């Protein structure tokens, strides 16, 4: 998430796409659909080069990541 944020901050769309792609694979393999959908949206925003949409996507990914961390900490299923 830090790498994605750094790429977004510098406007490095190639790095953001690459990071989002890796995150997408991980979220798919771990069967975390809400996080996976958020990461897919982020990747699409990076492909479009849309700063506002990418920033919104980063926020969504961060929220889903936090929700996943909370559920794991609480012992619940994601």
């Amino acid at each position: 998430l830090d790498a994605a944020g750094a790429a977004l901050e510098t406007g490095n769309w190639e790095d953001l796409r690459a990071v989002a792609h890796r995150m997408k694979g991980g979220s798919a393999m771990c069967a975390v659909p809400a996080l996976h959908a958020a990461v897919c949206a982020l990747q699409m925003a990076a492909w479009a080069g849309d700063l506002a949409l990418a920033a919104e996507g980063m926020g969504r990914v961060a929220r889903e990541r936090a929700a996943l961390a909370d559920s794991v900490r609480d012992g619940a299923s994601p």
Side-chain angles (χ1 to χ4, degrees), residues 4 15-25 39-40 42-43 46:
D15 281 357
L16 183 56
R17 286 190 298 267
V19 171
H21 182 74
R22 288 191 303 273
M23 290 169 42
K24 185 171 79 169
V39 172
C40 287
L42 175 61
Q43 186 181 31

Side-chain angles (χ1 to χ4, degrees), residues 11-67:
N12 188 330
W13 298 113
E14 184 177 335
D15 281 357
L16 183 56
R17 286 190 298 267
V19 171
H21 182 74
R22 288 191 303 273
M23 290 169 42
K24 185 171 79 169
S27 62
M29 293 298 293
C30 294
V32 186
L35 179 59
H36 183 73
V39 172
C40 287
L42 175 61
Q43 186 181 31
M44 293 305 294
W47 276 110
D50 187 320
L51 182 59
L53 198 56
E56 180 182 312
M58 281 294 299
R60 184 175 167 198
V61 169
R63 287 188 301 276
E64 292 301 335
R65 179 188 173 276

